[in-house]
Amino acid sequence: MSAFKDAGHLFRFAALFVVGTLILLGLRAHFIPHSFGQYGHYRGDALAEIAAHPIHFAGHQTCETCHSDILDIKIKGKHAHVNCEACHGALAQHADDPTNVTPPKLDTALLCVRCHAASAAKPKNFPQIHAEEHSGGLPCETCHQPHSPAIDAGKPAGGAQ
Amino acid sequence: MTINRRHFMILMPAAAIAWQSVLAGTPEESPNYKTSEHWWGMLMDISKCIGCGNCVRACQKENDVPDGFFRTWVERYHVTDYNLENPQVISPDGGKEGFPAVEEDAGKYFFVPKLCNHCADSPCTQVCPVGATFVSPDGVVLVDQKYCLGCAYCVQACPYGCRYIHPEKHVADKCTLCYHRITKGLTTACCENCPTGARQLADLKNPNDPIHAFLKTHKVQVLKPQMATRPKVFYNELDGSVR
């Protein structure tokens, strides 16, 4: 019996260890978010939270559901691959509420040269102009219809009516 | 227990509030989106980039990027003759408002749009001490801004300089590859607004994605392949001087 006479020390130590482990597990469960480790060493819920950010650019597919007439013009012209909001700006709010949110009027003098101002850094096959020499101060849409900018030899484009 | 008028009057607003929270609690879901079915990357065609800065402006608008910080930006390289070691690189305000005029016949100039390369072996996610940044199951490097401490280890670890500490939130911020758009079937804001198609979002797991045909027929490169980060932004006609 004498071999176990001090066993109480061991039991107290074991009890302390068990309590400490339980406290550790409790704190761990409390501080680590429940979705941590769902996919990897990060909070799984973060994916859905990031995916829930609001959208500002509606996307050309949304524009085209209403403005199919513009699409018909655009798809035949040189700007077929230029998406609506590249010039018109972010219009998801307009897509959500077309009557109350109206797109701002565009300034072709600013927009056209943003892409088409001549620069030796641009690819050689990209159409480029020196604005002053090219139009003599006339607005671009005097000759070019922005949705289909090539000048038709038969009829003048006549501006963006 | 029978519900009398008094109980009903108490229960109705409670039920209404509960229902409101049920409606508002779940963020906008994308029910048909499965992370296991995608592996996102991007294709950059240098030969098409005109340096208009549309991508930079679109990104800032879409993601509320603070002024002076960039999730994507455009650099203009100027390389004289064979001097590939010393290109002159400018990116005024990220290329947001265009670039100054160039000297004619003074070597070659070209634009290089940059963004997070969404590396498959990303050094930035490996150094995070708390697991606040990660590669998502669909291959997008993201930051959990609720979990980030703002220690900026990841900012230092990125070999491409694609991360910054948000000046107001004081946590790491970076390109999300417009995760809120691509999970809804839209393309990224930068790709949506690129007028020449120089940028194209690519789903490498989708066998019908045009990237596969492009990669078969073109000589593409990634940035800093010597870093062994396995970037997923592929550059067509990338010059050897690009760092």
Side-chain angles (χ1 to χ4, degrees):
Chain A
M1 290 304 284
S2 62
F4 296 103
K5 78 173 163 54
D6 292 330
H9 293 294
L10 289 176
F11 284 126
R12 276 195 288 277
F13 186 76
L16 205 61
F17 185 78
V18 168
V19 169
T21 307
L22 287 176
I23 290 172
L24 179 76
L25 289 175
L27 287 174
R28 197 171 176 275
H30 178 72
F31 283 115
I32 295 180
H34 71 95
S35 67
F36 202 94
Q38 186 182 355
Y39 306 109
H41 189 68
Y42 57 92
R43 211 165 52 89
D45 285 351
L47 286 179
E49 287 170 19
I50 294 167
H53 286 184
I55 283 172
H56 290 88
F57 288 91
H60 64 101
Q61 303 92 332
T62 308
C63 307
E64 287 157 6
T65 52
C66 293
H67 301 285
S68 56
D69 51 330
I70 305 293
L71 177 65
D72 293 340
I73 300 168
K74 202 161 80 72
I75 204 147
K76 294 181 205 127
K78 282 263 195 178
H79 280 171
H81 52 272
V82 182
N83 291 334
C84 314
E85 287 163 310
C87 299
H88 290 275
L91 288 171
Q93 285 184 327
H94 166 68
D96 288 341
D97 188 1
T99 49
N100 291 326
V101 184
T102 47
K105 199 89 185 107
L106 299 181
D107 182 5
T108 50
L110 180 80
L111 275 175
C112 300
V113 294
R114 197 174 258 172
C115 291
H116 291 289
S119 163
K122 291 181 181 176
K124 299 288 168 285
N125 56 1
F126 185 78
Q128 303 166 43
I129 52 118
H130 291 282
E132 308 82 46
E133 305 165 17
H134 180 82
S135 69
L138 285 174
C140 311
E141 69 264 36
T142 313
C143 302
H144 301 278
Q145 213 280 21
H147 289 137
S148 179
I151 298 173
D152 189 341
K155 61 178 177 58
Q161 278 111 0
Chain B
M1 184 187 117
T2 54
I3 294 179
N4 59 24
R5 185 181 292 180
R6 175 175 294 189
H7 286 138
F8 185 75
M9 294 302 279
I10 294 166
L11 281 174
M12 272 310 284
I17 291 165
W19 181 239
Q20 282 262 302
S21 74
V22 166
L23 287 182
T26 33
E28 199 178 339
E29 292 275 327
S30 350
N32 299 321
Y33 185 82
K34 288 198 182 69
T35 50
S36 58
E37 289 174 359
H38 304 275
W39 191 246
W40 296 107
M42 197 178 276
L43 184 63
M44 293 284 190
D45 198 340
I46 302 277
S47 64
K48 284 183 178 173
C49 182
I50 57 170
C52 64
N54 244 14
C55 48
V56 187
R57 286 188 297 274
C59 177
Q60 292 213 302
K61 174 79 185 159
E62 180 72 25
N63 298 298
D64 299 320
V65 180
D67 272 341
F69 295 86
F70 304 94
R71 291 185 179 194
T72 184
W73 66 98
V74 182
E75 294 172 356
R76 190 180 76 191
Y77 274 69
H78 176 203
V79 185
T80 50
D81 205 9
Y82 61 89
N83 193 8
L84 292 186
E85 298 300 314
N86 300 299
Q88 292 163 31
V89 188
I90 60 164
S91 184
D93 205 9
K96 192 163 60 164
E97 301 302 335
F99 289 83
V102 301
E103 288 174 64
E104 298 286 334
D105 301 323
K108 65 181 169 192
Y109 290 85
F110 53 90
F111 297 105
V112 183
K114 288 188 175 175
L115 79 165
C116 170
N117 287 271
H118 294 280
C119 307
D121 284 338
S122 53
C124 57
T125 64
Q126 291 170 35
V127 299
C128 181
V130 296
T133 182
F134 50 90
V135 184
S136 73
D138 37 359
V140 183
V141 178
L142 294 172
V143 178
D144 179 355
Q145 296 198 325
K146 284 188 185 165
Y147 217 61
C148 176
L149 303 168
C151 71
Y153 279 6
C154 57
V155 179
Q156 294 188 44
C158 175
Y160 307 100
C162 295
R163 286 171 172 256
Y164 57 91
I165 295 292
H166 194 287
E168 284 144 28
K169 299 181 195 165
H170 305 294
V171 293
D173 202 27
K174 68 177 288 296
C175 164
T176 61
L177 208 64
C178 281
Y179 199 67
H180 59 297
R181 297 176 63 87
I182 61 176
T183 51
K184 295 183 182 74
L186 294 166
T187 186
T188 64
C190 54
C191 293
E192 176 72 29
N193 286 287
C194 178
T196 63
R199 293 167 164 256
Q200 285 165 49
L201 180 72
D203 184 357
L204 301 164
K205 262 195 193 172
N206 177 0
N208 300 320
D209 195 298
I211 180 126
H212 299 295
F214 193 94
L215 292 178
K216 271 178 203 154
T217 50
H218 293 77
K219 296 173 179 69
V220 299
Q221 289 188 56
V222 292
L223 295 180
K224 299 188 183 178
Q226 73 275 18
M227 301 302 288
T229 56
R230 290 206 291 150
K232 296 204 300 305
V233 176
F234 300 95
Y235 285 82
N236 186 41
E237 297 208 10
L238 189 72
D239 191 74
S241 61
V242 177
R243 301 281 168 266

